[in-house]
Amino acid sequence: QKEVEQDPGPLSVPEGAIVSLNCTYSNSAFQYFMWYRQYSRKGPELLMYTYSSGNKEDGRFTAQVDKSSKYISLFIRDSQPSDSATYLCAMSAGGSARQLTFGSGTQLTVLP
Amino acid sequence: EPEVTQTPSHQVTQMGQEVILRCVPISNHLYFYWYRQILGQKVEFLVSFYNNEISEKSEIFDDQFSVERPDGSNFTLKIRSTKLEDSAMYFCASSGQGVKGYTFGSGTRLTVV
């Protein structure tokens, strides 16, 4: 079983749609959960950071963590063509274990 | 907004040659990292560095790899004898006291021919 699983897509939605991106994980030691956006041949750009379970909202983005189900989500409201990118989930156990374990990324296209 | 700077953006090298990839992390960050991404694959952790020593490394980070912080601002990744399979994007990252604000650079695309 892979440590972090993410549906690679591709996912194509019309402008204004609500987008739901998801990851599951198997390592119960993960405490810190991040979502990154990556444009082609560029570095990952941090979008959202959450610690432990719960929701966090930032503008049109909401990150959700359910540690009991080992499941995290990113919701994008009122999606825009500029949101078209690959979205990566990443996780860390924190403490002395700072390495991030990434999902494979979901490629999102928002059509105007 | 503070950023992680990587140079060069693209490097082509012959198999067996040594390469050094350079990074300038965010100035008040304490932890420094290297990751790589082979085309079409996941971003993979290589190594983390704190207080002038390696704190974690992955199986990928074998004896052919080394890291150094030669001065107060630069952080380098050296590959001693490059192989074709080392061709990838290499990302430097840095973070503060926790993992919050874990910021990546734009990457160096390494092509081994």
Side-chain angles (χ1 to χ4, degrees):
Chain A
Q1 183 183 12
K2 292 180 185 175
E3 234 180 342
V4 179
E5 302 228 31
Q6 183 176 6
D7 186 343
L11 182 61
S12 185
V13 301
E15 184 174 354
I18 296 174
V19 176
S20 171
L21 305 168
N22 311 294
C23 287
T24 59
Y25 63 96
S26 58
N27 187 347
S28 57
F30 289 144
Q31 298 286 335
Y32 299 88
F33 305 92
M34 282 148 270
W35 285 95
Y36 286 86
R37 178 171 60 197
Q38 187 178 30
Y39 296 109
S40 182
R41 295 184 181 268
K42 297 293 184 185
E45 172 195 355
L46 182 63
L47 281 177
M48 299 288 285
Y49 160 86
T50 51
Y51 169 68
S52 199
S53 284
N55 291 359
K56 184 174 182 179
E57 192 172 315
D58 183 2
R60 295 185 295 111
F61 298 90
T62 300
Q64 210 169 67
V65 174
D66 181 349
K67 288 188 70 184
S68 62
S69 303
K70 295 191 177 67
Y71 187 88
I72 70 169
S73 301
L74 178 71
F75 298 95
I76 307 173
R77 289 185 299 281
D78 187 25
S79 55
Q80 303 295 308
S82 56
D83 295 328
S84 299
T86 297
Y87 289 80
L88 309 172
C89 63
M91 313 181 184
S92 168
S96 59
R98 293 172 173 273
Q99 62 170 290
L100 296 184
T101 302
F102 280 85
S104 55
T106 300
Q107 188 181 346
L108 172 67
T109 301
V110 180
L111 302 169
Chain B
E1 190 167 324
E3 58 181 27
V4 175
T5 306
Q6 289 188 244
T7 54
S9 57
H10 186 198
Q11 175 132 17
V12 181
T13 189
Q14 289 200 323
M15 193 169 53
Q17 294 296 303
E18 174 183 286
V19 293
I20 297 176
L21 310 182
R22 302 178 192 280
C23 168
V24 179
I26 292 173
S27 60
N28 62 349
H29 280 182
L30 302 174
Y31 296 85
F32 314 113
Y33 315 87
W34 284 100
Y35 287 76
R36 79 170 185 192
Q37 186 176 31
I38 295 170
L39 188 63
Q41 297 188 23
K42 283 188 182 188
V43 177
E44 301 174 289
F45 171 76
L46 292 178
V47 66
S48 63
F49 192 85
Y50 171 70
N51 202 24
N52 283 319
E53 60 183 28
I54 290 173
S55 49
E56 295 172 278
K57 61 181 181 178
S58 71
E59 292 174 354
I60 303 167
F61 194 87
D62 61 21
D63 292 344
Q64 291 300 309
F65 292 90
S66 63
V67 290
E68 196 177 35
R69 187 154 163 84
D71 53 43
S73 59
N74 290 285
F75 180 51
T76 62
L77 174 69
K78 182 193 289 186
I79 310 175
R80 287 193 183 82
S81 178
T82 49
K83 307 183 189 74
L84 295 176
E85 54 266 34
D86 293 328
S87 295
M89 283 288 281
Y90 287 81
F91 295 110
C92 175
S94 66
S95 70
Q97 195 57 252
V99 295
K100 192 174 181 179
Y102 209 117
T103 304
F104 284 79
S106 292
T108 294
R109 181 155 61 103
L110 176 66
T111 303
V112 183
V113 297

PDB file of all heavy atoms in Angstrom, chain A residues 25-49:
ATOM      1  N   TYR A  25      -4.097   8.394   3.160  1.00  0.00           N
ATOM      2  CA  TYR A  25      -2.764   8.034   3.610  1.00  0.00           C
ATOM      3  C   TYR A  25      -2.837   6.862   4.578  1.00  0.00           C
ATOM      4  O   TYR A  25      -3.895   6.561   5.142  1.00  0.00           O
ATOM      5  CB  TYR A  25      -2.062   9.243   4.248  1.00  0.00           C
ATOM      6  CG  TYR A  25      -2.714   9.792   5.490  1.00  0.00           C
ATOM      7  CD1 TYR A  25      -2.286   9.400   6.763  1.00  0.00           C
ATOM      8  CD2 TYR A  25      -3.741  10.717   5.395  1.00  0.00           C
ATOM      9  CE1 TYR A  25      -2.862   9.913   7.905  1.00  0.00           C
ATOM     10  CE2 TYR A  25      -4.346  11.228   6.538  1.00  0.00           C
ATOM     11  CZ  TYR A  25      -3.891  10.836   7.789  1.00  0.00           C
ATOM     12  OH  TYR A  25      -4.479  11.342   8.926  1.00  0.00           O
ATOM     13  N   SER A  26      -1.723   6.218   4.769  1.00  0.00           N
ATOM     14  CA  SER A  26      -1.708   5.025   5.624  1.00  0.00           C
ATOM     15  C   SER A  26      -0.902   5.228   6.908  1.00  0.00           C
ATOM     16  O   SER A  26      -1.106   4.511   7.878  1.00  0.00           O
ATOM     17  CB  SER A  26      -1.132   3.835   4.844  1.00  0.00           C
ATOM     18  OG  SER A  26       0.162   4.123   4.375  1.00  0.00           O
ATOM     19  N   ASN A  27      -0.016   6.211   6.934  1.00  0.00           N
ATOM     20  CA  ASN A  27       0.872   6.404   8.080  1.00  0.00           C
ATOM     21  C   ASN A  27       0.189   7.251   9.152  1.00  0.00           C
ATOM     22  O   ASN A  27       0.013   8.458   8.996  1.00  0.00           O
ATOM     23  CB  ASN A  27       2.163   7.082   7.608  1.00  0.00           C
ATOM     24  CG  ASN A  27       3.215   7.161   8.697  1.00  0.00           C
ATOM     25  OD1 ASN A  27       2.926   6.942   9.875  1.00  0.00           O
ATOM     26  ND2 ASN A  27       4.428   7.475   8.316  1.00  0.00           N
ATOM     27  N   SER A  28      -0.171   6.626  10.261  1.00  0.00           N
ATOM     28  CA  SER A  28      -0.901   7.346  11.315  1.00  0.00           C
ATOM     29  C   SER A  28      -0.016   8.360  12.045  1.00  0.00           C
ATOM     30  O   SER A  28      -0.499   9.147  12.854  1.00  0.00           O
ATOM     31  CB  SER A  28      -1.499   6.350  12.313  1.00  0.00           C
ATOM     32  OG  SER A  28      -0.480   5.540  12.846  1.00  0.00           O
ATOM     33  N   ALA A  29       1.286   8.365  11.773  1.00  0.00           N
ATOM     34  CA  ALA A  29       2.186   9.333  12.407  1.00  0.00           C
ATOM     35  C   ALA A  29       2.082  10.725  11.783  1.00  0.00           C
ATOM     36  O   ALA A  29       2.540  11.706  12.366  1.00  0.00           O
ATOM     37  CB  ALA A  29       3.630   8.837  12.326  1.00  0.00           C
ATOM     38  N   PHE A  30       1.485  10.825  10.594  1.00  0.00           N
ATOM     39  CA  PHE A  30       1.375  12.133   9.942  1.00  0.00           C
ATOM     40  C   PHE A  30       0.504  13.069  10.778  1.00  0.00           C
ATOM     41  O   PHE A  30      -0.590  12.722  11.201  1.00  0.00           O
ATOM     42  CB  PHE A  30       0.791  11.998   8.536  1.00  0.00           C
ATOM     43  CG  PHE A  30       1.720  11.369   7.538  1.00  0.00           C
ATOM     44  CD1 PHE A  30       1.219  10.535   6.547  1.00  0.00           C
ATOM     45  CD2 PHE A  30       3.077  11.612   7.558  1.00  0.00           C
ATOM     46  CE1 PHE A  30       2.068   9.944   5.611  1.00  0.00           C
ATOM     47  CE2 PHE A  30       3.934  11.029   6.633  1.00  0.00           C
ATOM     48  CZ  PHE A  30       3.424  10.184   5.661  1.00  0.00           C
ATOM     49  N   GLN A  31       1.042  14.265  11.027  1.00  0.00           N
ATOM     50  CA  GLN A  31       0.360  15.261  11.843  1.00  0.00           C
ATOM     51  C   GLN A  31       0.133  16.567  11.087  1.00  0.00           C
ATOM     52  O   GLN A  31      -0.719  17.357  11.454  1.00  0.00           O
ATOM     53  CB  GLN A  31       1.210  15.588  13.081  1.00  0.00           C
ATOM     54  CG  GLN A  31       1.452  14.429  14.015  1.00  0.00           C
ATOM     55  CD  GLN A  31       0.220  14.086  14.824  1.00  0.00           C
ATOM     56  OE1 GLN A  31      -0.650  14.928  15.051  1.00  0.00           O
ATOM     57  NE2 GLN A  31       0.122  12.851  15.254  1.00  0.00           N
ATOM     58  N   TYR A  32       0.965  16.815  10.086  1.00  0.00           N
ATOM     59  CA  TYR A  32       0.934  18.079   9.364  1.00  0.00           C
ATOM     60  C   TYR A  32       0.573  17.784   7.917  1.00  0.00           C
ATOM     61  O   TYR A  32       1.144  16.883   7.294  1.00  0.00           O
ATOM     62  CB  TYR A  32       2.300  18.767   9.433  1.00  0.00           C
ATOM     63  CG  TYR A  32       2.727  19.100  10.833  1.00  0.00           C
ATOM     64  CD1 TYR A  32       3.426  18.174  11.596  1.00  0.00           C
ATOM     65  CD2 TYR A  32       2.410  20.323  11.403  1.00  0.00           C
ATOM     66  CE1 TYR A  32       3.797  18.451  12.890  1.00  0.00           C
ATOM     67  CE2 TYR A  32       2.788  20.623  12.695  1.00  0.00           C
ATOM     68  CZ  TYR A  32       3.476  19.683  13.440  1.00  0.00           C
ATOM     69  OH  TYR A  32       3.844  19.973  14.722  1.00  0.00           O
ATOM     70  N   PHE A  33      -0.358  18.567   7.409  1.00  0.00           N
ATOM     71  CA  PHE A  33      -0.898  18.294   6.086  1.00  0.00           C
ATOM     72  C   PHE A  33      -0.868  19.578   5.272  1.00  0.00           C
ATOM     73  O   PHE A  33      -1.296  20.637   5.744  1.00  0.00           O
ATOM     74  CB  PHE A  33      -2.331  17.760   6.203  1.00  0.00           C
ATOM     75  CG  PHE A  33      -2.418  16.550   7.094  1.00  0.00           C
ATOM     76  CD1 PHE A  33      -2.680  16.674   8.447  1.00  0.00           C
ATOM     77  CD2 PHE A  33      -2.201  15.283   6.561  1.00  0.00           C
ATOM     78  CE1 PHE A  33      -2.732  15.559   9.273  1.00  0.00           C
ATOM     79  CE2 PHE A  33      -2.257  14.160   7.380  1.00  0.00           C
ATOM     80  CZ  PHE A  33      -2.512  14.298   8.730  1.00  0.00           C
ATOM     81  N   MET A  34      -0.369  19.464   4.070  1.00  0.00           N
ATOM     82  CA  MET A  34      -0.221  20.618   3.215  1.00  0.00           C
ATOM     83  C   MET A  34      -0.773  20.353   1.829  1.00  0.00           C
ATOM     84  O   MET A  34      -0.813  19.189   1.380  1.00  0.00           O
ATOM     85  CB  MET A  34       1.269  20.991   3.091  1.00  0.00           C
ATOM     86  CG  MET A  34       1.783  21.738   4.311  1.00  0.00           C
ATOM     87  SD  MET A  34       3.519  21.403   4.664  1.00  0.00           S
ATOM     88  CE  MET A  34       3.353  19.990   5.757  1.00  0.00           C
ATOM     89  N   TRP A  35      -1.206  21.412   1.196  1.00  0.00           N
ATOM     90  CA  TRP A  35      -1.572  21.362  -0.220  1.00  0.00           C
ATOM     91  C   TRP A  35      -0.682  22.348  -0.961  1.00  0.00           C
ATOM     92  O   TRP A  35      -0.522  23.503  -0.539  1.00  0.00           O
ATOM     93  CB  TRP A  35      -3.043  21.717  -0.415  1.00  0.00           C
ATOM     94  CG  TRP A  35      -3.961  20.613  -0.008  1.00  0.00           C
ATOM     95  CD1 TRP A  35      -4.581  20.449   1.189  1.00  0.00           C
ATOM     96  CD2 TRP A  35      -4.361  19.501  -0.822  1.00  0.00           C
ATOM     97  NE1 TRP A  35      -5.343  19.310   1.178  1.00  0.00           N
ATOM     98  CE2 TRP A  35      -5.223  18.709  -0.040  1.00  0.00           C
ATOM     99  CE3 TRP A  35      -4.083  19.091  -2.139  1.00  0.00           C
ATOM    100  CZ2 TRP A  35      -5.816  17.531  -0.525  1.00  0.00           C
ATOM    101  CZ3 TRP A  35      -4.666  17.936  -2.613  1.00  0.00           C
ATOM    102  CH2 TRP A  35      -5.511  17.174  -1.812  1.00  0.00           C
ATOM    103  N   TYR A  36      -0.111  21.850  -2.040  1.00  0.00           N
ATOM    104  CA  TYR A  36       0.724  22.676  -2.899  1.00  0.00           C
ATOM    105  C   TYR A  36       0.103  22.720  -4.289  1.00  0.00           C
ATOM    106  O   TYR A  36      -0.546  21.773  -4.739  1.00  0.00           O
ATOM    107  CB  TYR A  36       2.129  22.081  -3.013  1.00  0.00           C
ATOM    108  CG  TYR A  36       2.995  22.260  -1.783  1.00  0.00           C
ATOM    109  CD1 TYR A  36       2.937  21.361  -0.732  1.00  0.00           C
ATOM    110  CD2 TYR A  36       3.876  23.337  -1.686  1.00  0.00           C
ATOM    111  CE1 TYR A  36       3.727  21.525   0.391  1.00  0.00           C
ATOM    112  CE2 TYR A  36       4.678  23.510  -0.566  1.00  0.00           C
ATOM    113  CZ  TYR A  36       4.596  22.592   0.465  1.00  0.00           C
ATOM    114  OH  TYR A  36       5.387  22.768   1.571  1.00  0.00           O
ATOM    115  N   ARG A  37       0.372  23.829  -4.965  1.00  0.00           N
ATOM    116  CA  ARG A  37      -0.008  23.971  -6.365  1.00  0.00           C
ATOM    117  C   ARG A  37       1.287  24.002  -7.166  1.00  0.00           C
ATOM    118  O   ARG A  37       2.254  24.673  -6.785  1.00  0.00           O
ATOM    119  CB  ARG A  37      -0.795  25.276  -6.562  1.00  0.00           C
ATOM    120  CG  ARG A  37      -1.205  25.576  -7.976  1.00  0.00           C
ATOM    121  CD  ARG A  37      -2.150  26.769  -8.011  1.00  0.00           C
ATOM    122  NE  ARG A  37      -1.548  27.969  -7.465  1.00  0.00           N
ATOM    123  CZ  ARG A  37      -2.240  29.045  -7.087  1.00  0.00           C
ATOM    124  NH1 ARG A  37      -3.555  29.060  -7.192  1.00  0.00           N
ATOM    125  NH2 ARG A  37      -1.623  30.107  -6.628  1.00  0.00           N
ATOM    126  N   GLN A  38       1.295  23.279  -8.259  1.00  0.00           N
ATOM    127  CA  GLN A  38       2.497  23.223  -9.089  1.00  0.00           C
ATOM    128  C   GLN A  38       2.140  23.464 -10.542  1.00  0.00           C
ATOM    129  O   GLN A  38       1.335  22.720 -11.115  1.00  0.00           O
ATOM    130  CB  GLN A  38       3.214  21.870  -8.928  1.00  0.00           C
ATOM    131  CG  GLN A  38       4.552  21.818  -9.646  1.00  0.00           C
ATOM    132  CD  GLN A  38       5.284  20.499  -9.453  1.00  0.00           C
ATOM    133  OE1 GLN A  38       4.682  19.454  -9.287  1.00  0.00           O
ATOM    134  NE2 GLN A  38       6.618  20.558  -9.486  1.00  0.00           N
ATOM    135  N   TYR A  39       2.755  24.480 -11.116  1.00  0.00           N
ATOM    136  CA  TYR A  39       2.632  24.710 -12.551  1.00  0.00           C
ATOM    137  C   TYR A  39       3.735  23.943 -13.250  1.00  0.00           C
ATOM    138  O   TYR A  39       4.758  23.606 -12.644  1.00  0.00           O
ATOM    139  CB  TYR A  39       2.704  26.208 -12.858  1.00  0.00           C
ATOM    140  CG  TYR A  39       1.549  27.002 -12.274  1.00  0.00           C
ATOM    141  CD1 TYR A  39       1.741  27.867 -11.202  1.00  0.00           C
ATOM    142  CD2 TYR A  39       0.263  26.860 -12.785  1.00  0.00           C
ATOM    143  CE1 TYR A  39       0.689  28.582 -10.655  1.00  0.00           C
ATOM    144  CE2 TYR A  39      -0.796  27.565 -12.243  1.00  0.00           C
ATOM    145  CZ  TYR A  39      -0.578  28.425 -11.175  1.00  0.00           C
ATOM    146  OH  TYR A  39      -1.634  29.119 -10.640  1.00  0.00           O
ATOM    147  N   SER A  40       3.549  23.709 -14.535  1.00  0.00           N
ATOM    148  CA  SER A  40       4.463  22.864 -15.274  1.00  0.00           C
ATOM    149  C   SER A  40       5.913  23.335 -15.146  1.00  0.00           C
ATOM    150  O   SER A  40       6.213  24.509 -15.358  1.00  0.00           O
ATOM    151  CB  SER A  40       4.045  22.852 -16.753  1.00  0.00           C
ATOM    152  OG  SER A  40       4.875  22.011 -17.500  1.00  0.00           O
ATOM    153  N   ARG A  41       6.781  22.436 -14.749  1.00  0.00           N
ATOM    154  CA  ARG A  41       8.219  22.669 -14.635  1.00  0.00           C
ATOM    155  C   ARG A  41       8.562  23.788 -13.645  1.00  0.00           C
ATOM    156  O   ARG A  41       9.581  24.466 -13.780  1.00  0.00           O
ATOM    157  CB  ARG A  41       8.850  22.935 -16.006  1.00  0.00           C
ATOM    158  CG  ARG A  41       8.779  21.732 -16.935  1.00  0.00           C
ATOM    159  CD  ARG A  41       9.492  21.994 -18.238  1.00  0.00           C
ATOM    160  NE  ARG A  41       9.419  20.866 -19.146  1.00  0.00           N
ATOM    161  CZ  ARG A  41      10.318  19.895 -19.230  1.00  0.00           C
ATOM    162  NH1 ARG A  41      11.376  19.920 -18.452  1.00  0.00           N
ATOM    163  NH2 ARG A  41      10.187  18.910 -20.089  1.00  0.00           N
ATOM    164  N   LYS A  42       7.691  23.977 -12.655  1.00  0.00           N
ATOM    165  CA  LYS A  42       7.960  24.955 -11.596  1.00  0.00           C
ATOM    166  C   LYS A  42       7.960  24.243 -10.248  1.00  0.00           C
ATOM    167  O   LYS A  42       7.563  23.085 -10.144  1.00  0.00           O
ATOM    168  CB  LYS A  42       6.869  26.049 -11.589  1.00  0.00           C
ATOM    169  CG  LYS A  42       6.818  26.875 -12.849  1.00  0.00           C
ATOM    170  CD  LYS A  42       8.056  27.718 -13.007  1.00  0.00           C
ATOM    171  CE  LYS A  42       7.951  28.624 -14.215  1.00  0.00           C
ATOM    172  NZ  LYS A  42       9.219  29.365 -14.447  1.00  0.00           N
ATOM    173  N   GLY A  43       8.396  24.946  -9.201  1.00  0.00           N
ATOM    174  CA  GLY A  43       8.394  24.381  -7.872  1.00  0.00           C
ATOM    175  C   GLY A  43       7.014  24.378  -7.252  1.00  0.00           C
ATOM    176  O   GLY A  43       6.165  25.199  -7.608  1.00  0.00           O
ATOM    177  N   PRO A  44       6.749  23.466  -6.319  1.00  0.00           N
ATOM    178  CA  PRO A  44       5.471  23.475  -5.598  1.00  0.00           C
ATOM    179  C   PRO A  44       5.309  24.772  -4.795  1.00  0.00           C
ATOM    180  O   PRO A  44       6.255  25.219  -4.142  1.00  0.00           O
ATOM    181  CB  PRO A  44       5.583  22.260  -4.671  1.00  0.00           C
ATOM    182  CG  PRO A  44       6.656  21.398  -5.253  1.00  0.00           C
ATOM    183  CD  PRO A  44       7.608  22.341  -5.902  1.00  0.00           C
ATOM    184  N   GLU A  45       4.103  25.329  -4.839  1.00  0.00           N
ATOM    185  CA  GLU A  45       3.773  26.574  -4.151  1.00  0.00           C
ATOM    186  C   GLU A  45       2.787  26.248  -3.036  1.00  0.00           C
ATOM    187  O   GLU A  45       1.718  25.684  -3.305  1.00  0.00           O
ATOM    188  CB  GLU A  45       3.165  27.547  -5.160  1.00  0.00           C
ATOM    189  CG  GLU A  45       2.599  28.829  -4.583  1.00  0.00           C
ATOM    190  CD  GLU A  45       1.700  29.533  -5.594  1.00  0.00           C
ATOM    191  OE1 GLU A  45       1.609  29.080  -6.752  1.00  0.00           O
ATOM    192  OE2 GLU A  45       1.064  30.526  -5.205  1.00  0.00           O
ATOM    193  N   LEU A  46       3.129  26.587  -1.805  1.00  0.00           N
ATOM    194  CA  LEU A  46       2.287  26.241  -0.666  1.00  0.00           C
ATOM    195  C   LEU A  46       0.969  27.003  -0.720  1.00  0.00           C
ATOM    196  O   LEU A  46       0.939  28.222  -0.795  1.00  0.00           O
ATOM    197  CB  LEU A  46       3.018  26.565   0.639  1.00  0.00           C
ATOM    198  CG  LEU A  46       2.293  26.230   1.927  1.00  0.00           C
ATOM    199  CD1 LEU A  46       2.056  24.720   2.047  1.00  0.00           C
ATOM    200  CD2 LEU A  46       3.087  26.729   3.126  1.00  0.00           C
ATOM    201  N   LEU A  47      -0.135  26.245  -0.667  1.00  0.00           N
ATOM    202  CA  LEU A  47      -1.465  26.846  -0.654  1.00  0.00           C
ATOM    203  C   LEU A  47      -2.074  26.837   0.741  1.00  0.00           C
ATOM    204  O   LEU A  47      -2.605  27.826   1.210  1.00  0.00           O
ATOM    205  CB  LEU A  47      -2.405  26.053  -1.579  1.00  0.00           C
ATOM    206  CG  LEU A  47      -2.324  26.282  -3.067  1.00  0.00           C
ATOM    207  CD1 LEU A  47      -3.294  25.330  -3.773  1.00  0.00           C
ATOM    208  CD2 LEU A  47      -2.661  27.717  -3.417  1.00  0.00           C
ATOM    209  N   MET A  48      -2.048  25.662   1.360  1.00  0.00           N
ATOM    210  CA  MET A  48      -2.724  25.497   2.644  1.00  0.00           C
ATOM    211  C   MET A  48      -1.866  24.616   3.541  1.00  0.00           C
ATOM    212  O   MET A  48      -1.226  23.661   3.083  1.00  0.00           O
ATOM    213  CB  MET A  48      -4.096  24.831   2.472  1.00  0.00           C
ATOM    214  CG  MET A  48      -5.067  25.596   1.621  1.00  0.00           C
ATOM    215  SD  MET A  48      -5.697  27.064   2.449  1.00  0.00           S
ATOM    216  CE  MET A  48      -6.851  26.352   3.620  1.00  0.00           C
ATOM    217  N   TYR A  49      -1.921  24.926   4.817  1.00  0.00           N
ATOM    218  CA  TYR A  49      -1.194  24.153   5.824  1.00  0.00           C
ATOM    219  C   TYR A  49      -2.149  23.910   6.987  1.00  0.00           C
ATOM    220  O   TYR A  49      -2.772  24.838   7.479  1.00  0.00           O
ATOM    221  CB  TYR A  49       0.016  24.961   6.279  1.00  0.00           C
ATOM    222  CG  TYR A  49       0.593  24.567   7.606  1.00  0.00           C
ATOM    223  CD1 TYR A  49       1.530  23.552   7.684  1.00  0.00           C
ATOM    224  CD2 TYR A  49       0.220  25.227   8.777  1.00  0.00           C
ATOM    225  CE1 TYR A  49       2.071  23.188   8.906  1.00  0.00           C
ATOM    226  CE2 TYR A  49       0.753  24.869   9.993  1.00  0.00           C
ATOM    227  CZ  TYR A  49       1.686  23.854  10.062  1.00  0.00           C
ATOM    228  OH  TYR A  49       2.218  23.491  11.259  1.00  0.00           O
TER     229      TYR A  49
END
